[in-house]
């Protein structure tokens, strides 16, 4: 049962290690797409593609390299690999940020463009409405003055009436003159009230069409309707400008539909409007790629032949100093002991075995004096130890049988 459980566990771990490879590749492709998208907006696409492939390759290779080395073994090489990894990660995250920024800020950009239209139109209409209020106020004042002049002319109390005709009540020529002025002012007031009422209706339609941009299913038709309503308002305002004889504020130049729906273009300005969510998403893809590559601990180990396995087992037995290190791995000292130095012992064969195992990925170097077992070395040693024990048992049984026969 124990052997079955161990076999299942070994199979499961092996499948996980195998499955990690396509996951790392898919993450690299995903990260490469976002990196290429951002980079292609600044340089030629085919150059961006080459740089993207190089950056993603460096990330995976450096992660795998760091998984198979210890910084104390070769500090210069370790930090060179670490610096290469950091530079590649910086480049990848920086250009991937633009894609995630576009996705995350798409709704915000849409809302900001609508708010910009609202602000421009509101500023324009506010200035027009101020002038409208002044015009209506002046028209009412003129109408009130004309009404007062008509009344004074009727009762003969107007200041412009000669002394001989004052106090004469009735609809005389003087009254007719001021009554005509009054009727003209009254008609003008009515026309202004009608025109401004129509303008208010068009403004209301314009505001409704602007609000509809937030919830419209067909954005193009909704935006066209908004522009049409704005043009109607602008036309009414220009006509009123001619009627009142006063220049009105210049209308804002609204963006076209293509400008309104244009996607976010990657630029350095995106960093000024920094989006933490987009940056975390860009970094998260790279983090998973580095993490899985690092945990894969893949150093391209080649299989050992039967002769190499026997050679390695016999040579490793010649080492005498073993211990369990902080990584819970078996660690051994490959340096000669004092006794071996005194005897001038030649350790060429066992050091050859260490070099062979290091090159095949079965050992990992910690420093100049120690190495540790890689996980794939334990089954090989266990198998050789089992064969050795079984051979000893067989020889012991044969020896007992010979003694019993004698």
């Amino acid at each position: 049962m124990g052997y079955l459980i161990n076999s299942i566990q070994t199979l499961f771990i092996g499948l996980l290690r195998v499955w990690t490879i396509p996951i790392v590749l898919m993450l690299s492709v995903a990260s490469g797409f976002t990196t290429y998208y951002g980079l292609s907006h600044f340089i030629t696409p085919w150059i961006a593609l080459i740089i993207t492939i190089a950056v993603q390759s460096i990330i995976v290779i450096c992660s795998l390299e760091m998984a198979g080395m210890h910084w104390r073994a070769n500090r210069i090489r370790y930090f060179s690999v670490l610096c290469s990894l950091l530079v590649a990660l910086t480049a990848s995250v920086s250009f991937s940020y633009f894609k995630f920024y576009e996705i995350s800020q798409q709704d915000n950009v849409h809302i900001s463009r609508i708010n910009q239209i609202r602000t421009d139109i509101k500023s324009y209409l506010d200035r027009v409405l101020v002038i409208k209020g002044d015009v209506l106020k002046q028209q009412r004042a003129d109408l009130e003055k004309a009404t007062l002049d008509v009344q004074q002319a009727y009762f003969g109390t107007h200041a412009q009436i000669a002394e001989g005709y004052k106090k004469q009540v009735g609809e005389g020529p003087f009254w007719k003159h001021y009554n005509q002025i009054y009727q003209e002012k009254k008609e003008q007031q009515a026309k202004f009230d009608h025109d401004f009422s129509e303008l208010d209706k068009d403004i209301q339609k314009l505001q409704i069409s602007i609000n509809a941009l937030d919830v419209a299913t067909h954005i193009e038709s909704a935006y066209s309707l908004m522009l049409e309503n704005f043009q109607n308002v602008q036309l009414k305002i220009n006509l009123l400008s001619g009627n009142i004889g006063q220049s009105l504020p210049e209308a804002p130049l609204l963006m076209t539909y293509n400008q309104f729906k244009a996607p976010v273009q990657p630029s350095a300005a995106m960093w000024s409007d920094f989006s933490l969510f987009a940056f975390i998403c860009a970094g998260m893809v790279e983090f998973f790629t580095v993490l899985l590559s690092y945990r894969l601990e893949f150093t391209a180990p080649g299989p050992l032949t039967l002769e190499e396995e026997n050679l390695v087992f016999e040579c490793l037995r010649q080492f005498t100093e073993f211990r369990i290190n902080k990584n819970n791995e078996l660690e051994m000292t490959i340096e000669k002991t004092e006794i071996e130095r005194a005897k001038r012992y030649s350790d060429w064969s066992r050091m050859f075995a260490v070099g062979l195992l290091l090159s095949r990925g079965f050992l990992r170097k910690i420093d100049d004096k120690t190495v540790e077992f890689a996980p794939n070395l334990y089954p090989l040693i266990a198998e050789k130890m089992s064969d050795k024990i079984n051979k000893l048992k067989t020889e012991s049984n044969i020896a007992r049988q010979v003694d019993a026969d004698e």
Side-chain angles (χ1 to χ4, degrees), residues 138-162:
Q138 183 63 38
Q139 288 295 322
R140 291 191 184 96
D142 292 343
L143 184 61
E144 290 176 358
K145 185 178 181 302
T147 302
L148 180 60
D149 289 342
V150 169
Q151 292 175 353
Q152 290 178 348
Y154 184 82
F155 291 104
T157 59
H158 198 279
Q160 299 295 328
I161 298 177

mmCIF file of all heavy atoms in Angstrom, residues 138-162:
data_model
loop_
_atom_site.group_PDB
_atom_site.id
_atom_site.type_symbol
_atom_site.label_atom_id
_atom_site.label_comp_id
_atom_site.label_asym_id
_atom_site.label_seq_id
_atom_site.Cartn_x
_atom_site.Cartn_y
_atom_site.Cartn_z
ATOM 1 N N GLN A 138 -34.434 93.955 -20.381
ATOM 2 C CA GLN A 138 -34.495 95.221 -21.106
ATOM 3 C C GLN A 138 -35.812 95.362 -21.854
ATOM 4 O O GLN A 138 -36.411 96.454 -21.900
ATOM 5 C CB GLN A 138 -33.314 95.283 -22.084
ATOM 6 C CG GLN A 138 -33.220 96.600 -22.852
ATOM 7 C CD GLN A 138 -32.970 97.778 -21.941
ATOM 8 O OE1 GLN A 138 -32.224 97.666 -20.971
ATOM 9 N NE2 GLN A 138 -33.614 98.903 -22.239
ATOM 10 N N GLN A 139 -36.304 94.262 -22.444
ATOM 11 C CA GLN A 139 -37.567 94.306 -23.163
ATOM 12 C C GLN A 139 -38.721 94.627 -22.214
ATOM 13 O O GLN A 139 -39.624 95.410 -22.561
ATOM 14 C CB GLN A 139 -37.813 92.960 -23.864
ATOM 15 C CG GLN A 139 -36.925 92.715 -25.071
ATOM 16 C CD GLN A 139 -37.198 93.707 -26.192
ATOM 17 O OE1 GLN A 139 -38.353 94.081 -26.441
ATOM 18 N NE2 GLN A 139 -36.135 94.148 -26.839
ATOM 19 N N ARG A 140 -38.731 94.044 -21.037
ATOM 20 C CA ARG A 140 -39.793 94.338 -20.062
ATOM 21 C C ARG A 140 -39.720 95.795 -19.614
ATOM 22 O O ARG A 140 -40.758 96.465 -19.444
ATOM 23 C CB ARG A 140 -39.669 93.403 -18.867
ATOM 24 C CG ARG A 140 -39.995 91.958 -19.184
ATOM 25 C CD ARG A 140 -40.127 91.135 -17.920
ATOM 26 N NE ARG A 140 -40.344 89.729 -18.215
ATOM 27 C CZ ARG A 140 -39.391 88.816 -18.259
ATOM 28 N NH1 ARG A 140 -38.121 89.181 -18.027
ATOM 29 N NH2 ARG A 140 -39.674 87.564 -18.550
ATOM 30 N N ALA A 141 -38.485 96.288 -19.424
ATOM 31 C CA ALA A 141 -38.347 97.697 -19.022
ATOM 32 C C ALA A 141 -38.852 98.620 -20.129
ATOM 33 O O ALA A 141 -39.554 99.619 -19.851
ATOM 34 C CB ALA A 141 -36.888 98.000 -18.705
ATOM 35 N N ASP A 142 -38.533 98.288 -21.393
ATOM 36 C CA ASP A 142 -39.012 99.115 -22.510
ATOM 37 C C ASP A 142 -40.529 99.045 -22.621
ATOM 38 O O ASP A 142 -41.206 100.069 -22.910
ATOM 39 C CB ASP A 142 -38.375 98.646 -23.819
ATOM 40 C CG ASP A 142 -36.881 98.911 -23.860
ATOM 41 O OD1 ASP A 142 -36.394 99.722 -23.039
ATOM 42 O OD2 ASP A 142 -36.174 98.280 -24.698
ATOM 43 N N LEU A 143 -41.084 97.835 -22.392
ATOM 44 C CA LEU A 143 -42.538 97.688 -22.475
ATOM 45 C C LEU A 143 -43.241 98.451 -21.356
ATOM 46 O O LEU A 143 -44.288 99.086 -21.578
ATOM 47 C CB LEU A 143 -42.905 96.202 -22.419
ATOM 48 C CG LEU A 143 -44.403 95.872 -22.580
ATOM 49 C CD1 LEU A 143 -44.914 96.360 -23.940
ATOM 50 C CD2 LEU A 143 -44.634 94.365 -22.435
ATOM 51 N N GLU A 144 -42.679 98.401 -20.171
ATOM 52 C CA GLU A 144 -43.261 99.163 -19.056
ATOM 53 C C GLU A 144 -43.201 100.664 -19.324
ATOM 54 O O GLU A 144 -44.145 101.398 -19.030
ATOM 55 C CB GLU A 144 -42.518 98.818 -17.758
ATOM 56 C CG GLU A 144 -42.783 97.406 -17.272
ATOM 57 C CD GLU A 144 -41.956 97.062 -16.044
ATOM 58 O OE1 GLU A 144 -41.156 97.933 -15.618
ATOM 59 O OE2 GLU A 144 -42.105 95.937 -15.518
ATOM 60 N N LYS A 145 -42.091 101.120 -19.900
ATOM 61 C CA LYS A 145 -41.973 102.547 -20.229
ATOM 62 C C LYS A 145 -42.975 102.940 -21.306
ATOM 63 O O LYS A 145 -43.612 104.001 -21.246
ATOM 64 C CB LYS A 145 -40.556 102.841 -20.709
ATOM 65 C CG LYS A 145 -40.297 104.336 -20.971
ATOM 66 C CD LYS A 145 -38.856 104.540 -21.392
ATOM 67 C CE LYS A 145 -38.604 106.051 -21.626
ATOM 68 N NZ LYS A 145 -39.489 106.626 -22.636
ATOM 69 N N ALA A 146 -43.123 102.045 -22.328
ATOM 70 C CA ALA A 146 -44.099 102.339 -23.383
ATOM 71 C C ALA A 146 -45.511 102.359 -22.819
ATOM 72 O O ALA A 146 -46.348 103.189 -23.222
ATOM 73 C CB ALA A 146 -43.986 101.287 -24.495
ATOM 74 N N THR A 147 -45.828 101.463 -21.881
ATOM 75 C CA THR A 147 -47.153 101.443 -21.243
ATOM 76 C C THR A 147 -47.398 102.739 -20.473
ATOM 77 O O THR A 147 -48.499 103.339 -20.541
ATOM 78 C CB THR A 147 -47.253 100.240 -20.289
ATOM 79 O OG1 THR A 147 -47.012 99.045 -21.027
ATOM 80 C CG2 THR A 147 -48.639 100.171 -19.656
ATOM 81 N N LEU A 148 -46.383 103.179 -19.747
ATOM 82 C CA LEU A 148 -46.512 104.420 -18.979
ATOM 83 C C LEU A 148 -46.687 105.618 -19.914
ATOM 84 O O LEU A 148 -47.506 106.524 -19.642
ATOM 85 C CB LEU A 148 -45.285 104.609 -18.098
ATOM 86 C CG LEU A 148 -45.255 105.862 -17.215
ATOM 87 C CD1 LEU A 148 -46.444 105.852 -16.239
ATOM 88 C CD2 LEU A 148 -43.952 105.970 -16.454
ATOM 89 N N ASP A 149 -45.931 105.618 -21.032
ATOM 90 C CA ASP A 149 -46.072 106.724 -21.995
ATOM 91 C C ASP A 149 -47.469 106.759 -22.577
ATOM 92 O O ASP A 149 -48.057 107.856 -22.769
ATOM 93 C CB ASP A 149 -45.046 106.567 -23.121
ATOM 94 C CG ASP A 149 -43.619 106.849 -22.652
ATOM 95 O OD1 ASP A 149 -43.476 107.483 -21.597
ATOM 96 O OD2 ASP A 149 -42.656 106.394 -23.332
ATOM 97 N N VAL A 150 -48.052 105.601 -22.899
ATOM 98 C CA VAL A 150 -49.412 105.546 -23.454
ATOM 99 C C VAL A 150 -50.426 106.097 -22.441
ATOM 100 O O VAL A 150 -51.338 106.874 -22.790
ATOM 101 C CB VAL A 150 -49.764 104.119 -23.879
ATOM 102 C CG1 VAL A 150 -51.245 103.988 -24.196
ATOM 103 C CG2 VAL A 150 -48.960 103.721 -25.104
ATOM 104 N N GLN A 151 -50.288 105.672 -21.207
ATOM 105 C CA GLN A 151 -51.213 106.147 -20.176
ATOM 106 C C GLN A 151 -51.088 107.656 -19.975
ATOM 107 O O GLN A 151 -52.106 108.372 -19.872
ATOM 108 C CB GLN A 151 -50.933 105.416 -18.856
ATOM 109 C CG GLN A 151 -51.288 103.938 -18.900
ATOM 110 C CD GLN A 151 -50.883 103.228 -17.620
ATOM 111 O OE1 GLN A 151 -50.220 103.807 -16.758
ATOM 112 N NE2 GLN A 151 -51.281 101.955 -17.515
ATOM 113 N N GLN A 152 -49.868 108.148 -19.905
ATOM 114 C CA GLN A 152 -49.680 109.593 -19.716
ATOM 115 C C GLN A 152 -50.171 110.373 -20.937
ATOM 116 O O GLN A 152 -50.724 111.473 -20.804
ATOM 117 C CB GLN A 152 -48.206 109.893 -19.452
ATOM 118 C CG GLN A 152 -47.728 109.406 -18.099
ATOM 119 C CD GLN A 152 -46.239 109.663 -17.883
ATOM 120 O OE1 GLN A 152 -45.526 110.009 -18.828
ATOM 121 N NE2 GLN A 152 -45.783 109.480 -16.641
ATOM 122 N N ALA A 153 -49.969 109.814 -22.134
ATOM 123 C CA ALA A 153 -50.449 110.494 -23.343
ATOM 124 C C ALA A 153 -51.983 110.530 -23.369
ATOM 125 O O ALA A 153 -52.587 111.497 -23.855
ATOM 126 C CB ALA A 153 -49.910 109.794 -24.583
ATOM 127 N N TYR A 154 -52.635 109.496 -22.886
ATOM 128 C CA TYR A 154 -54.088 109.441 -22.874
ATOM 129 C C TYR A 154 -54.675 110.493 -21.923
ATOM 130 O O TYR A 154 -55.665 111.165 -22.239
ATOM 131 C CB TYR A 154 -54.551 108.042 -22.474
ATOM 132 C CG TYR A 154 -56.049 107.868 -22.523
ATOM 133 C CD1 TYR A 154 -56.712 107.602 -23.735
ATOM 134 C CD2 TYR A 154 -56.811 107.975 -21.362
ATOM 135 C CE1 TYR A 154 -58.086 107.455 -23.773
ATOM 136 C CE2 TYR A 154 -58.181 107.817 -21.384
ATOM 137 C CZ TYR A 154 -58.821 107.553 -22.589
ATOM 138 O OH TYR A 154 -60.190 107.426 -22.612
ATOM 139 N N PHE A 155 -54.053 110.604 -20.746
ATOM 140 C CA PHE A 155 -54.571 111.551 -19.760
ATOM 141 C C PHE A 155 -53.958 112.948 -19.899
ATOM 142 O O PHE A 155 -54.247 113.845 -19.112
ATOM 143 C CB PHE A 155 -54.313 111.042 -18.334
ATOM 144 C CG PHE A 155 -55.137 109.839 -17.985
ATOM 145 C CD1 PHE A 155 -54.559 108.580 -17.964
ATOM 146 C CD2 PHE A 155 -56.488 109.953 -17.717
ATOM 147 C CE1 PHE A 155 -55.312 107.467 -17.643
ATOM 148 C CE2 PHE A 155 -57.237 108.851 -17.413
ATOM 149 C CZ PHE A 155 -56.653 107.591 -17.363
ATOM 150 N N GLY A 156 -53.097 113.133 -20.874
ATOM 151 C CA GLY A 156 -52.530 114.450 -21.123
ATOM 152 C C GLY A 156 -51.506 114.876 -20.109
ATOM 153 O O GLY A 156 -51.294 116.094 -19.946
ATOM 154 N N THR A 157 -50.867 113.974 -19.481
ATOM 155 C CA THR A 157 -49.876 114.326 -18.461
ATOM 156 C C THR A 157 -48.458 114.018 -18.903
ATOM 157 O O THR A 157 -47.518 114.112 -18.104
ATOM 158 C CB THR A 157 -50.172 113.552 -17.159
ATOM 159 O OG1 THR A 157 -50.134 112.148 -17.450
ATOM 160 C CG2 THR A 157 -51.525 113.927 -16.582
ATOM 161 N N HIS A 158 -48.271 113.640 -20.153
ATOM 162 C CA HIS A 158 -46.936 113.285 -20.631
ATOM 163 C C HIS A 158 -46.059 114.523 -20.689
ATOM 164 O O HIS A 158 -46.512 115.632 -21.018
ATOM 165 C CB HIS A 158 -47.031 112.645 -22.021
ATOM 166 C CG HIS A 158 -45.811 111.876 -22.392
ATOM 167 N ND1 HIS A 158 -44.685 112.481 -22.887
ATOM 168 C CD2 HIS A 158 -45.526 110.542 -22.335
ATOM 169 C CE1 HIS A 158 -43.761 111.568 -23.127
ATOM 170 N NE2 HIS A 158 -44.256 110.357 -22.814
ATOM 171 N N ALA A 159 -44.818 114.373 -20.384
ATOM 172 C CA ALA A 159 -43.896 115.511 -20.324
ATOM 173 C C ALA A 159 -43.649 116.113 -21.693
ATOM 174 O O ALA A 159 -43.278 117.299 -21.787
ATOM 175 C CB ALA A 159 -42.573 115.052 -19.708
ATOM 176 N N GLN A 160 -43.830 115.339 -22.796
ATOM 177 C CA GLN A 160 -43.570 115.837 -24.134
ATOM 178 C C GLN A 160 -44.742 116.625 -24.720
ATOM 179 O O GLN A 160 -44.626 117.216 -25.794
ATOM 180 C CB GLN A 160 -43.228 114.661 -25.063
ATOM 181 C CG GLN A 160 -41.994 113.874 -24.649
ATOM 182 C CD GLN A 160 -40.736 114.713 -24.744
ATOM 183 O OE1 GLN A 160 -40.630 115.594 -25.601
ATOM 184 N NE2 GLN A 160 -39.792 114.469 -23.852
ATOM 185 N N ILE A 161 -45.896 116.656 -24.033
ATOM 186 C CA ILE A 161 -47.077 117.376 -24.534
ATOM 187 C C ILE A 161 -46.888 118.870 -24.266
ATOM 188 O O ILE A 161 -46.467 119.285 -23.181
ATOM 189 C CB ILE A 161 -48.355 116.858 -23.865
ATOM 190 C CG1 ILE A 161 -48.561 115.360 -24.203
ATOM 191 C CG2 ILE A 161 -49.575 117.655 -24.331
ATOM 192 C CD1 ILE A 161 -49.762 114.749 -23.519
ATOM 193 N N ALA A 162 -47.225 119.644 -25.265
ATOM 194 C CA ALA A 162 -47.122 121.100 -25.090
ATOM 195 C C ALA A 162 -48.097 121.577 -24.030
ATOM 196 O O ALA A 162 -49.119 120.947 -23.757
ATOM 197 C CB ALA A 162 -47.393 121.807 -26.419
#
